[in-house]
């Protein structure tokens, strides 16, 4: 995907003017709800691909060039994430991909830290699924505006009104439908656009490879031509009107209500309405608060933060790629910026777009854009880069780990490789690494999902030539603690383990929530803070 340049005419716009025409968002969904299909259809509607099918083709090529991604192929999962940039209606759209599997929700959290809005895709036959909920929690923690797409309306599914209740009850987000289906699911004819009262009737194209043909029908014509299907849609829309489920910009931007669009990514029905809504309603990048809560204006000198690190994507070039979200100013390739926290200068000669292993040079970027910096081995997740006046953006906090395993090299002769891999994979956030300050010197890996351990072992073996023996520990939850409480906890016996994170934080690991609850009720003065609170508290 070649990067989209500046406004036409070659004139240099103010960064705030460039930011105003940008939309940076992510799609969240349970696996199989249709995220990949929808992404591809966005590209089709934006004219970035002539025919749907290109993303899959790229996907295959991408996999073929990376041994790491061979694991994705073997397991049929998406571990990596990428960024697509395309232009649509004189806007620049940045679509940040998130890994679908729940075990990588920590990675998703980091990607969402770089997005300004999200689209939640639900399969109408399945409704709200486990992963949708988990990912939505991340959006809620950031008060992020969320648009909802009810996908697969071409197939039989749940009653759409019941789905709205499900969204409200399970997610706690008030749905406000903008479009509504005409025709029962399975015989999906088109949508009512509640803004105009018109029906938009769609016709399929072969394999959904090209945009769907759209006809606009006024109410009288729709009643004549669509009969019962139209009558039912009108009745349902009447119910929505009666409860006042109308789109409202302010509560949408506050993350309290969600505009709902219906359609089918497979047949392209309703895709245009959704993409238009991203441009019309999703927020443009705004000034971001720094770690002290001061806003860095969009027209201030360049600044951005690292939200993701990926290494060794291309085995031929053992490289290290940092994904940087631009927050202010104009980024120009080759400029020298400062690195926070080290304060050292950092040159940006090798700046690229970040669509999987495919790289195109990026020359300029503006707030909302994502720049990939190659061979950025000194950069860590959460670091800031800036030009001129110094700034530090808030850290991207870690998820509370729920799984723990003691890690030892299987071959002690390869200890050096083991150390190097451990350090690298921790830096990328593949797993968290904890150490016992007093006892066993071998590290304890901490993760949110089991598959993170698998990725760790696989990459350690394939990229660093060191195999690892992982012994799960019986712990299931962690709390932040301090020295005084840690000393008390050590006295309580072996059911609690005290470990140290690289940033010096002390974590107490517990085997069961009951034991923790008992200690908390017996010793209310002890410091045992949920790690998740930290996540919500420091979101920007
Ligand atoms: P994901 O990225 O969220 O995991 O989902 P993906 O787009 O890969 O879609 C999962 C499956 O659902 C795919 O079928 C896809 O074709 C199908 N799908 C997506 N959107 C729609 C829709 O609007 N209607 C219908 N009927 N199906 C849809 P598959 O059989 O697993 O893959 P494929 O062989 O079609 O590629």
């Amino acid at each position: 995907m070649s990067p989209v340049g500046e406004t036409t005419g070659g004139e240099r716009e103010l960064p705030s003017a460039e930011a105003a025409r940008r939309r940076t968002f992510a799609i969240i969904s349970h696996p199989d709800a249709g995220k990949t299909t929808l992404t591809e259809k966005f590209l089709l509607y934006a004219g970035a691909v002539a025919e749907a099918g290109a993303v899959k083709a790229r996907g295959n090529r991408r996999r073929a060039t990376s041994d790491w991604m061979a694991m994705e192929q073997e397991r049929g999962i998406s571990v990596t994430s990428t960024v697509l940039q395309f232009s649509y209606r004189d806007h620049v759209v940045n679509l940040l991909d998130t890994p679908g599997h729940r075990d990588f929700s920590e990675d998703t959290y980091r990607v969402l830290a770089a997005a300004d809005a999200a689209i939640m895709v639900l399969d109408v036959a399945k409704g709200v699924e486990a992963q949708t909920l988990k990912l939505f929690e991340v959006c809620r923690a950031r008060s992020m505006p969320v648009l909802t797409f009810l996908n697969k309306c071409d197939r039989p599914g749940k009653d759409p009104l019941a789905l709205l209740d499900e969204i409200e009850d399970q997610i706690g987000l008030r749905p406000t439908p903008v479009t509504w289906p005409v025709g029962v699911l399975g015989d999906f004819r088109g949508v009512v656009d509640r803004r105009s009262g018109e029906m938009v009737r769609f016709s399929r194209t072969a394999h959904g490879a090209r945009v769907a043909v759209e006809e606009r029908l006024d109410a009288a014509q729709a009643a004549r031509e669509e009969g019962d299907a139209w009558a039912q849609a009108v009745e349902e829309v009447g119910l929505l009107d009666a409860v006042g489920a109308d789109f409202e910009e302010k509560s949408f931007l506050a993350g309290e209500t969600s505009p709902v669009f219906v359609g089918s990514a497979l047949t392209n029905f309703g895709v245009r309405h959704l993409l238009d809504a991203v441009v019309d309603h999703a927020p443009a990048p705004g000034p971001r608060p720094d770690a002290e809560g001061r806003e860095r204006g969009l027209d201030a000198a360049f600044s951005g933060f690292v939200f993701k690190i990926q290494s060794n994507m291309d085995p031929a070039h053992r490289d290290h790629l940092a994904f940087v979200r631009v927050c202010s100013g104009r980024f120009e390739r080759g400029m020298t910026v400062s690195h926070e926290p080290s304060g050292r200068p950092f040159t940006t000669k090798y700046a690229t777009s970040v669509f999987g292993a495919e790289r195109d040079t990026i020359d300029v970027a503006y707030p909302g854009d994502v720049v990939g910096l190659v061979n950025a081995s000194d950069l860590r997740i959460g670091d800031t880069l800036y030009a001129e006046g110094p700034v530090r953006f808030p850290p991207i906090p870690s998820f509370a780990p729920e799984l723990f395993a003691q890690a030892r090299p299987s071959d002690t002769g390869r200890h050096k490789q083991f150390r190097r891999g451990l350090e690298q994979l921790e830096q990328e956030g593949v797993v968290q690494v904890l150490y016992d300050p007093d006892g066993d010197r071998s590290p304890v890996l901490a993760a949110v999902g089991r598959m993170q351990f698998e990725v760790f072992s696989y990459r350690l073996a394939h990229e660093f030539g060191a195999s690892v023996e992982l012994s799960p520990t019986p712990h299931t939850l962690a709390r932040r603690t301090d020295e005084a409480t840690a000393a008390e906890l050590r006295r309580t016996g072996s059911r609690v383990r005290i470990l140290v994170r690289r940033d010096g934080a002390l974590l107490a690991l517990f085997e069961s929530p009951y034991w923790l609850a008992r200690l908390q009720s017996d010793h209310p003065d002890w410091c045992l803070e949920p790690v998740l609170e930290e996540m919500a508290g420091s979101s920007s």
Side-chain angles (χ1 to χ4, degrees), residues 29-38 56 151-155 263-267:
S29 67
H30 193 86
D32 275 345
K35 181 165 66 94
T36 313
T37 312
L38 184 63
K56 276 204 174 130
N151 190 32
K152 306 199 187 182
C153 287
D154 58 299
R155 288 204 309 210
S264 157
L266 190 70
T267 61

Side-chain angles (χ1 to χ4, degrees), residues 375-437:
N375 289 332
S377 52
D378 292 338
L379 303 186
R380 302 275 183 282
I381 290 166
D383 286 1
T384 300
L385 294 174
Y386 62 87
E388 297 176 24
V391 58
R392 181 170 58 95
F393 289 108
I396 301 178
S398 321
F399 253 65
E402 293 164 14
L403 298 165
F404 305 87
Q406 199 88 41
R408 292 188 185 82
S410 324
D411 176 357
T412 42
R414 301 194 65 79
H415 201 79
K416 230 168 77 189
Q417 289 85 342
F418 176 81
R419 285 274 142 205
R420 208 154 47 83
L422 187 74
E423 197 175 310
Q424 173 63 50
L425 297 174
E426 180 192 17
Q427 187 183 337
E428 279 184 50
V430 173
V431 289
Q432 295 179 41
V433 182
L434 310 174
Y435 290 91
D436 190 335

